[in-house]
Amino acid sequence: MRYFNLFSSVLLTKGASRILISDLERNVSELQSLDLYNLTEDLKLNSIEDVIKEYDRDSGEIINEYIAFLLENEYGFISHNNWDNSFNQLSFNYDSSDVISNLFLELDNFSVLHKIRSAMDTIDIRYLVIYSIRQLSKEELGELDFIFENTPLEGIEIYCPYYDQINDAFLSYLSDTSKRIYKLVLYNCDTITFSTNENLKFSLEYTKDYITIKNCGIVDLKYFNTNNSKIFESKNYNSCLFKKIGIDIDGNIKNCPLMPDHFGNIRNTSLEKVLEMAGFKKYWNLTKDHIEICKDCEFRYICTDCRAFTEKTHQNKEGLDTSKPLKCGYDPYTGEWSEWSTNPLKEKAMRYYDFKIKQ
Amino acid sequence: MENRIRSEEKNKLPLNFKYLNKLGSKKSKELNKKICYVKCDKFQTDFLTRVTPFKAFTRML
Amino acid sequence: MILILSANKDFTTNEVIKWLHIFDKKYIRVHEFELFEIKVIDKKILLESQRNSFYIDDINSVWFRRGGIKFNRLQFQNESVNKIMDETQFCLEDYVIKKLESKRHINKQSNNRTNKLLILEKAVAVGLDVPTYFLADNTDHINLGKTITKSISENIMVKSAFDDFDGILYTSIIDKHEDEVFFPTFFQEKIEKEFEIRCFYLNGKVWSCAIFSQNDEQTKIDNRIYNYGKPNRNVRYTLPPEIHHKICILMTELDYNCGSIDFIKSIDGKFYFLEVNPVGQFLGISDICNYALEKEIADYL
């Protein structure tokens, strides 16, 4: 008798109409049918021969094809006489040594950066994401890394409006002098005065569109990530808000700058105090398994959640919003994607957030 | 490709030098170029590695 | 206070240190090129370098990761004075190192050199299966295709061995006979493997990972040859209790309380011991198997 063993680094996430196979070692995910999922469940209980026997003759061939597919992709292996129990299941614990993984800042005045800098003497912040509502001068862009010199901050990501002095010479200067910037996104970028240079130490993106911070929260395939940390985090915590802290344009400290609840202002309180405040972390433990519709979605562990903009249809006993993210156009029940912003069912929530309704 | 070590040395070398492998690949070399280190007094190192985050913290585009 | 002897650039040390901050443990980090002077203040020994200054009495635990404590040794004009002072300084240095090693520690500076040959002999003595090995300067008794060679040195990197690449001495299969005599070389019987096992040992605890490299021609002989397209499968694994027990005896005999250990599980079901590396990399298996070993180390210190 032959037995099929799934490798522990292969995660099957069952959705309402399909499954997602995530390979945590090769960092890729692929969609497959529910039939394949049911087969893998059968193969946990019975030998390959017994499983084939249970199905009718026509299905036998399909089962062999499925098993061949699983073996070809090295999702599992075959053992003889019994399942191989010397291999242990992977733990899905998420244990990270950061206090704050990312600080999301809506920036106008640089003085707030100095405030954040002094907070870093006591709390470690790994990454800083800056959305600037105004153009940043070349001096200001150059200064960013300098402000955080000698801190445990590992990376800075910047969104700012484009202007014509951001050219190749400046970008390579910035790449040479700043060590922490890993991503620069230029918005409002009509004509470009730079070439997309692969030698830069940061990734460079640009868009014609005028981006506001309210653009955030998009759910799209391009934002799905398959890797250990991503999946361990989303299995245990909220995949966007866990270990996140936000400061909005007025200096209000929030879990995310786009959420309504605030916990004091950077002018008169410290990030450290805010972290200890009741309610600040209320969404940190809300996983996708407890969000309506998402809990039936095969992408739930590789997707990043949004609690700032939701369909506003569900609330749990603790008063947490457990509705599907507003900007998700995926329907796990049909397996189809559609444009979220023209969905009539989302109009009410869109009006609530003051989003323009497209006709 | 023959490595240059065995022809350069006058003394005999162990046989495994004949089977010397190339270290790394073009891809790992490319990746190495982009590695950034930051000085961090708190962790008492001049070489804290900048690691790119495992997910997109914001999704605005 | 924890004393960490490491390299300024060591990524692993940084990861452990992040956890020390979470646990609110104080530490002193010593870099590889730091030179210490031994001073005495109020009868207490103080070590002082350009970066650090501490009393050895204040150190509660020591992690010997890389490098070690190095001392600035003074030279003296008169030859016989110099001889006496050299010995005097050695005594003090040796005392300091041994004092530090007598505290809670992970590995020892005085015992950081491995000798693959001696380790194999000890492994046989504690009853582990070891593939037959021998030294030779010719290939006369070599069974082609069934014998491997590898380095007995710890350092296996060869700078600028190729035009635009460095070289590395991985394990290789001997596929042809040599006419000429060569420098004494380590040969070992090639074991047909089901998979390899990489273990991390810390004070009696063992975390293991099975590495399925057999499916892949590129990594069949040495799993360190990394295949970017299709990495090997790595799976959490538990060694049989008797192997675990023998590892503990071996590590105690070698006086290592931490290290990476490699095994092969052969197709006939035996566990063959390959080697121990007290300063090996463990973040790889820690990440892949989600063992959080950097946290374990921070916790132990």
Side-chain angles (χ1 to χ4, degrees), chain C residues 61-272:
Chain C
S61 69
V62 184
W63 180 24
F64 176 80
R65 167 77 189 151
R66 292 281 152 86
I69 292 235
K70 293 181 190 73
F71 299 94
N72 188 17
R73 201 176 282 189
L74 302 171
Q75 299 285 320
F76 295 83
Q77 289 297 321
N78 179 299
E79 200 181 314
S80 79
V81 170
N82 197 46
K83 242 181 171 170
I84 294 169
M85 284 311 294
D86 213 40
E87 196 188 326
T88 308
Q89 292 178 86
F90 172 80
C91 274
L92 280 174
E93 293 164 11
D94 195 45
Y95 176 72
V96 166
I97 289 172
K98 299 252 160 79
K99 273 311 255 193
L100 288 172
E101 289 177 350
S102 71
K103 299 170 193 267
R104 187 174 181 82
H105 63 269
I106 294 180
N107 288 334
K108 292 182 177 177
Q109 173 166 356
S110 61
N111 186 30
N112 70 329
R113 314 274 321 172
T114 54
N115 188 320
K116 289 187 188 175
L117 299 169
L118 286 173
I119 289 174
L120 288 176
E121 280 183 18
K122 285 211 167 127
V124 173
V126 304
L128 285 164
D129 285 314
V130 173
T132 318
Y133 64 95
F134 56 94
L135 292 166
D137 68 353
N138 62 68
T139 54
D140 292 354
H141 300 287
I142 281 173
N143 201 345
L144 290 186
K146 296 209 161 122
T147 309
I148 61 103
T149 176
K150 65 178 181 184
S151 197
I152 57 168
S153 66
E154 264 177 78
N155 182 4
I156 53 169
M157 306 255 287
V158 188
K159 288 254 182 263
S160 7
F162 300 93
D163 287 339
D164 38 7
F165 282 99
D166 293 336
I168 189 155
L169 295 161
Y170 285 134
T171 302
S172 314
I173 304 180
I174 303 302
D175 50 17
K176 69 174 200 289
H177 283 293
E178 301 293 321
D179 301 329
E180 282 175 46
V181 164
F182 39 82
F183 188 90
T185 299
F186 179 86
F187 294 101
Q188 196 166 33
E189 174 196 0
K190 180 184 157 228
I191 302 297
E192 290 304 328
K193 65 186 176 192
E194 195 184 333
F195 48 82
E196 285 180 48
I197 302 162
R198 164 64 62 93
C199 309
F200 179 73
Y201 175 94
L202 177 62
N203 231 42
K205 269 175 105 174
V206 179
W207 294 261
S208 307
C209 173
I211 304 168
F212 286 81
S213 52
Q214 206 56 19
N215 291 339
D216 189 341
E217 282 304 319
Q218 205 176 331
T219 58
K220 223 169 175 171
I221 294 309
D222 195 318
N223 69 51
R224 288 169 299 190
I225 304 171
Y226 193 70
N227 185 338
Y228 276 101
K230 219 175 184 189
N232 294 325
R233 280 282 173 226
N234 299 276
V235 187
R236 277 186 176 214
Y237 189 75
T238 308
L239 286 166
E242 66 274 16
I243 303 288
H244 183 138
H245 181 64
K246 284 172 186 168
I247 289 177
C248 294
I249 300 174
L250 176 67
M251 292 302 269
T252 311
E253 294 244 322
L254 294 168
D255 199 14
Y256 296 147
N257 70 340
C258 177
S260 298
I261 307 156
D262 293 336
F263 281 91
I264 280 180
K265 183 170 183 228
S266 68
I267 48 173
D268 56 7
K270 276 189 176 175
F271 293 87
Y272 285 97

Side-chain angles (χ1 to χ4, degrees), chain B residues 1 3-4 12-16 18-23 25 28-29 37 42-47 49, chain C residues 8 11 14 27 29 31 151 160-164 166-169 172 175-176 178 181 183 185 228:
Chain B
M1 186 170 70
N3 72 69
R4 59 163 75 116
K12 291 184 191 311
L13 285 166
L15 185 59
N16 60 337
K18 198 179 170 182
Y19 293 85
L20 191 70
N21 284 82
K22 276 187 200 172
L23 180 61
S25 62
S28 66
K29 271 196 157 182
Y37 298 104
K42 187 167 180 179
F43 297 160
Q44 302 177 24
T45 178
D46 300 308
F47 299 95
T49 318
Chain C
N8 193 349
F11 183 78
N14 295 343
Y27 61 91
R29 177 173 180 167
H31 297 334
S151 197
S160 7
F162 300 93
D163 287 339
D164 38 7
D166 293 336
I168 189 155
L169 295 161
S172 314
D175 50 17
K176 69 174 200 289
E178 301 293 321
V181 164
F183 188 90
T185 299
Y228 276 101

